[in-house]
Amino acid sequence: MRVPLEWLGEYCDPQLDAHELAERLALTGTEVERVEHHGVQALEYFVVGHVLERRKHPDADRLSVCMVDVGRSTPAQIVCGAPNVQAGQTVAVSRPGAIMPDGTRLQKAKLRGQTSDGMILAEDEVGIGSDHGGIMVLPDGLTPGSPLQAVLPIATDVLVLEITPNRPDCLGIYGIAREVHAATGAPLQPPPWATDPGTEGPAEGAEILNEAGPDLCPRFTARIYDDVKLGPSPIWLKARLMAAGQRPISNVVDISNYVMLLTGQPTHAYDLTRVGGHRLTVRRAIAGETAQTLDDQTRTLDGEMVVIDDDQGPTGIAGVMGGARSEVADDTEQILFEAATWNGPNVHRTSLKLGLRSEASTRFEKQLQPEQTLWAQAVASQLMIELCGARLRPGTIDVGGPGPQPPAITLRQARMTSLLGMEISTEKATEILNALDFETAPARDGLQVTPPVFRRADISREPDVIEEVARLYGLDRLPATLPARRSVYGTLTDRQRLIRTVGDALIAQGLHEIVGWSFTGPHATATLRLPADRAVTLANPLSGDLGQLRTTLLTSLLDVARRNRAHGAQSLRLFEMGAVYLRTSDGELPREPQHAGALLRGPLRPPTWRDPSPDAADFFAIKGVLGALLDSLGISWALHPGTQSFLHPGRSARIDVAGRQAGWLGELHPTIASEWELPDKVALFELDLDVLPIPATAVYTDLTSFPEVREDLAVVVAEDTPAAQVLETLERAGAPLLEHAEVFDVYRDPERLGEGRKSLAIRLAFRAADRTLTDQDVARQRQKIAAALEEELGGRVRDSR
């Protein structure tokens, strides 16, 4: 929303410069995006001139050499290319040194050998119109050399506002003037619709039917004008439209735009002679029918949209854009001027579906109120009569009528003090609310407050009224206070606590958390050799490379790793926790399990003079991170050979937790790593957190003072037997005395062990809580272990020879 201060000042002039006013509005909740300057600068160089003489340029057929009185001792010679320049005219002149709207500083120049000491100006050259066909001719009687700013609005500061969806009343100049009045105390002029040349009652000559119902069209008003004289708008009107971001077209169209910008209520002018049957019908569109809009585009409609129809078919899309068939033309003499109220969400949907956004739809989608239609009609009537010489027919077509009166709201002094943390007197609250056009009356414990109709949709509860008081009183003046203590407080669910614990455990392992995109693309899915039918395809993606929702955290981890390596990072320890999205059967929403993924790359520790080439991240390093994580949760887990297509064969595993598959672990396949420009080993894992059981409450046992008995064991098993399976068998057979077992070496020798066999060196630790173990105790456990290995795995215990 662009608010020219020259226009705003007609209704409320706070006597503040643009930046001071912007700050004041921002502190009261009206966001000012920026302050701009519209028009020219260096105003002292723009003056009124009087053309004393005009002669043809000796060397150019289309140029004239003029002698212009600009209030100095000698006339200025100015070369002018306008065809309408004549001696005796009062004109607008810019002298050398003037700064034009595009920032160019005017200088003395020579045009085809003739000196030009300035410019005689057209509308577009000072930003008050778009006409470049000729110079502006000013009224006679103006003093040459007098400031042009006193005659024409050639410069103004403009506030560019970001209006929130709940404040459509601020999408008009007068609505902003009301806010400025409340924020600064500057006097507010009566609303421009206070005087209405129109009358109530039926109007003859046109008929309005509302078949869509009051839900989609709460109110439709129209007035009819005869003897309309179409032509250009006056300079003051063009200047205000230009400063507000609108291009002047003709007086009737400009009046429609001016009324919208002033009141916030969009309007539309129909050429009544082009309205079929002189009848407009508001109805739902028929699916597949088309309408040609004012931008000369043919739009295909659906059954949820609302159209304005005459006897020849759709002539406009309700709340979005009028139709081309009944638009105002050069020969128009009869105007049907419409101001209506539409269903905001329906207009928003229609605008998005058609890809057609207009100044009107921007306002209608925020839900305007029915009363605003007659405000717009009143202003339009004044301007149509004044600027177009139009004759207004008696009566106003009004289908729907005003909306319900907003209910009164009780504002309790105690409640206001409780919410704001300080006391604001009832007198001050009354002053603030009255400035905003609220009606107030004393009540037993505060005030009885009735919102104005233009705040009907925004103000419905006591806290809404308190917010109005607070923002105008000054949010910066409210003290910092703690909320009142309540007996109810938020807690985490067991699942939320598990997820947080996982993150804490990974951070404790030295990993850094990232937050990646939830989007990916078909290329990444194909590169990772993932099934494409599991991915959820987006109907409206940000780009072609982000057309799917991710099915794994792997893509975002690799993207971040590539970016970090490109910036020189050699050692990476990353993890991410978030949702992945898996397609389900047709008609059902996708599943969104929570996953945790980790990535290691590069040296595991910084190089030193003692160890210039430390070990790089590999399968066993990422396994250590996974083990530390799950062990800290007290969750039993196991690894089994994995078959993930994107992992290195023989360096991958499936993660099982409590007998259920919970994820994968391994080194990235080199071919896939090269696609992400990662030349070294990349070790990763991914866990489905929804599969992890909730950890049981930790149970602590006393430390024992009895020593452990350590023994080493060499176990020969088949080459394809995982070490994890050997350890699982050992721990089960050696219980309860076997306290710990770990593999510390692998030996292969086909001659001594046999083809396809390997020997695992395992360190065992035995301990009892109530006594010191004897050799016989340990020997019995060794026998059980040997028997279990032979029976379950076909292995044998190798002697030390």
Side-chain angles (χ1 to χ4, degrees):
M1 173 71 184
R2 294 175 59 86
V3 180
L5 295 192
E6 179 273 330
W7 192 356
L8 178 68
E10 180 177 339
Y11 300 104
C12 184
D13 186 1
Q15 299 294 316
L16 299 173
D17 69 31
H19 292 280
E20 289 175 331
L21 179 57
E23 182 179 2
R24 190 73 61 87
L25 288 174
L27 289 174
T28 57
T30 303
E31 182 179 349
V32 182
E33 187 174 319
R34 61 185 181 276
V35 177
E36 294 182 354
H37 181 83
H38 176 81
V40 302
Q41 299 179 64
L43 296 177
E44 64 272 20
Y45 296 101
F46 291 87
V47 297
V48 173
H50 184 74
V51 181
L52 302 174
E53 176 188 341
R54 178 252 183 194
R55 56 186 172 81
K56 184 180 175 182
H57 193 292
D59 297 319
D61 292 338
R62 297 185 179 181
L63 297 180
S64 302
V65 179
C66 302
M67 300 304 294
V68 183
D69 181 1
V70 292
R72 297 192 173 188
S73 57
T74 58
Q77 176 174 294
I78 299 176
V79 178
C80 180
N84 66 326
V85 63
Q86 296 293 336
Q89 291 174 334
T90 301
V91 295
V93 176
S94 59
R95 302 278 294 151
I99 300 177
M100 309 308 286
D102 62 358
T104 302
R105 184 178 289 276
L106 187 65
Q107 297 179 351
K108 194 171 184 176
K110 274 196 173 184
L111 299 177
R112 296 288 186 93
Q114 296 291 319
T115 300
S116 184
D117 193 17
M119 288 177 61
I120 303 177
L121 299 166
E123 291 178 4
D124 65 327
E125 291 169 331
V126 286
I128 62 174
S130 56
D131 184 13
H132 193 66
I135 60 168
M136 294 181 288
V137 180
L138 305 180
D140 293 335
L142 299 176
T143 303
S146 59
L148 188 61
Q149 171 74 355
V151 181
L152 296 176
I154 58 174
T156 181
D157 287 323
V158 179
L159 302 182
V160 182
L161 307 182
E162 187 70 31
I163 304 301
T164 54
N166 66 315
R167 293 302 305 276
D169 59 296
C170 288
L171 287 170
I173 296 294
Y174 192 79
I176 297 299
R178 191 187 298 113
E179 286 289 310
V180 172
H181 163 65
T184 66
L188 178 67
Q189 299 301 316
W193 52 85
T195 301
D196 185 0
T199 58
E200 298 180 356
E204 297 182 357
E207 183 182 6
I208 308 296
L209 301 175
N210 183 5
E211 296 180 356
D215 289 341
L216 293 177
C217 179
R219 193 177 196 181
F220 194 109
T221 67
R223 287 181 176 176
I224 300 173
Y225 299 87
D226 297 309
D227 304 329
V228 177
K229 297 178 180 60
L230 216 70
S233 297
I235 289 294
W236 67 265
L237 178 54
K238 291 182 178 181
R240 288 183 173 179
L241 291 179
M242 290 287 291
Q246 294 281 330
R247 182 174 63 88
I249 298 173
S250 68
N251 51 6
V252 172
V253 176
D254 294 349
I255 287 170
S256 178
N257 288 330
Y258 184 88
V259 169
M260 175 186 67
L261 293 172
L262 178 57
T263 68
Q265 167 69 48
T267 61
H268 184 66
Y270 296 83
D271 184 331
L272 184 58
T273 62
R274 291 180 169 87
V275 175
H278 288 195
R279 178 171 48 245
L280 294 177
T281 302
V282 179
R283 62 169 175 85
R284 286 185 181 272
I286 301 170
E289 75 175 322
T290 59
Q292 187 178 15
T293 47
L294 287 172
D295 57 358
D296 292 327
Q297 300 293 316
T298 300
R299 314 281 178 177
T300 302
L301 313 177
D302 66 28
E304 295 296 319
M305 299 176 184
V306 179
V307 297
I308 303 170
D309 183 277
D310 63 14
D311 287 359
Q312 299 176 30
T315 186
I317 303 172
V320 180
M321 187 173 287
R325 180 161 43 81
S326 60
E327 69 177 317
V328 175
D330 292 341
D331 59 350
T332 297
E333 294 183 353
Q334 286 185 319
I335 294 289
L336 185 146
F337 210 90
E338 166 235 310
T341 308
W342 306 104
N343 178 284
N346 181 269
V347 172
H348 181 66
R349 178 195 175 277
T350 300
S351 177
L352 287 179
K353 190 74 179 288
L354 295 178
L356 179 60
R357 191 168 180 82
S358 63
E359 288 283 348
S361 68
T362 299
R363 288 164 170 80
F364 280 126
E365 67 189 18
K366 295 175 174 62
Q367 195 54 65
L368 303 182
Q369 299 304 315
E371 290 77 8
Q372 295 176 252
T373 57
L374 288 186
W375 300 348
Q377 291 285 11
V379 178
S381 296
Q382 298 170 33
L383 295 173
M384 289 291 291
I385 294 170
E386 176 186 346
L387 305 182
C388 304
R391 179 169 52 86
L392 174 60
R393 292 189 191 180
T396 301
I397 303 173
D398 189 352
V399 178
Q405 183 67 18
I409 300 169
T410 299
L411 174 60
R412 296 167 292 174
Q413 179 70 46
R415 177 64 169 157
M416 183 164 58
T417 301
S418 172
L419 284 182
L420 301 183
M422 68 174 295
E423 182 176 349
I424 298 176
S425 68
T426 302
E427 291 75 17
K428 185 62 178 178
T430 301
E431 177 188 335
I432 290 172
L433 293 171
N434 289 344
L436 292 170
D437 233 6
F438 287 66
E439 295 180 5
T440 58
R444 183 172 59 85
D445 52 357
L447 291 173
Q448 199 73 7
V449 179
T450 302
V453 293
F454 53 83
R455 301 294 301 275
R456 181 187 286 126
D458 180 35
I459 306 296
S460 60
R461 307 174 305 143
E462 184 181 20
D464 298 334
V465 179
I466 295 173
E467 181 183 6
E468 293 299 296
V469 174
R471 71 181 184 87
L472 268 302
Y473 182 77
L475 297 176
D476 56 321
R477 298 170 64 183
L478 299 181
T481 58
L482 293 174
R485 185 172 182 177
R486 300 176 181 272
S487 58
V488 178
Y489 56 91
T491 60
L492 298 177
T493 65
D494 290 340
R495 183 60 57 183
Q496 290 170 330
R497 190 175 292 107
L498 169 67
I499 292 172
R500 290 198 180 186
T501 304
V502 169
D504 292 342
L506 291 172
I507 291 172
Q509 292 295 311
L511 277 68
H512 301 280
E513 185 173 10
I514 67 164
V515 179
W517 284 93
S518 294
F519 307 124
T520 186
H523 175 72
T525 300
T527 302
L528 293 172
R529 307 165 192 169
L530 298 172
D533 58 352
R534 298 194 71 191
V536 177
T537 302
L538 299 175
N540 187 24
L542 295 174
S543 68
D545 294 334
L546 301 173
Q548 295 176 343
L549 292 174
R550 64 186 180 188
T551 59
T552 172
L553 301 181
L554 179 58
T555 52
S556 54
L557 285 168
L558 291 176
D559 287 343
V560 173
R562 173 172 54 191
R563 186 176 299 109
N564 277 268
R565 178 183 176 272
H567 285 79
Q570 298 301 316
S571 179
L572 297 176
R573 295 171 176 82
L574 309 175
F575 81 93
E576 181 175 9
M577 301 174 66
V580 300
Y581 307 87
L582 306 176
R583 182 190 294 276
T584 55
S585 59
D586 292 340
E588 296 185 10
L589 293 174
R591 288 198 309 110
E592 300 183 25
Q594 291 287 320
H595 281 203
L599 178 148
L600 299 182
R601 176 191 173 271
L604 295 175
R605 55 187 175 276
T608 65
W609 65 273
R610 298 180 62 185
D611 186 10
S613 299
D615 295 337
D618 59 5
F619 176 90
F620 297 102
I622 197 70
K623 178 187 172 186
V625 174
L626 174 70
L629 166 63
L630 295 177
D631 289 347
S632 69
L633 298 174
I635 295 175
S636 62
W637 57 283
L639 297 181
H640 301 282
T643 58
Q644 283 75 18
S645 58
F646 48 82
L647 296 180
H648 194 299
R651 301 180 190 175
S652 62
R654 184 186 81 235
I655 305 170
D656 282 4
V657 171
R660 297 177 62 190
Q661 183 173 338
W664 51 263
L665 174 145
E667 294 180 17
L668 192 64
H669 195 287
T671 302
I672 294 176
S674 65
E675 290 286 337
W676 266 271
E677 302 172 15
L678 300 170
D680 304 324
K681 290 180 181 179
V682 180
L684 315 98
F685 74 73
E686 186 165 345
L687 270 176
D688 185 345
L689 300 181
D690 290 355
V691 172
L692 298 186
I694 302 300
T697 303
V699 177
Y700 298 94
T701 57
D702 292 336
L703 293 174
T704 178
S705 59
F706 298 101
E708 66 179 12
V709 177
R710 299 179 183 177
E711 290 194 358
D712 292 343
L713 194 68
V715 179
V716 179
V717 292
E719 181 66 45
D720 59 357
T721 302
Q725 191 173 358
V726 175
L727 292 176
E728 182 181 348
T729 302
L730 277 169
E731 291 169 352
R732 187 171 55 254
L737 299 181
L738 181 59
E739 185 178 63
H740 179 68
E742 65 175 358
V743 176
F744 65 88
D745 193 19
V746 181
Y747 171 69
R748 294 176 176 87
D749 187 342
E751 294 184 1
R752 300 187 62 181
L753 303 178
E755 194 69 35
R757 308 286 283 180
K758 64 183 176 182
S759 175
L760 301 178
I762 303 173
R763 180 162 293 125
L764 306 177
F766 298 92
R767 191 198 302 265
D770 56 351
R771 69 188 191 281
T772 299
L773 295 178
T774 63
D775 291 341
Q776 291 78 8
D777 293 331
V778 174
R780 284 194 293 271
Q781 297 304 112
R782 285 173 58 93
Q783 291 174 1
K784 291 180 182 179
I785 289 171
L789 289 171
E790 183 175 1
E791 179 180 349
E792 297 179 19
L793 303 178
R796 63 180 177 84
V797 176
R798 185 164 65 94
D799 59 27
S800 58
R801 291 173 296 174

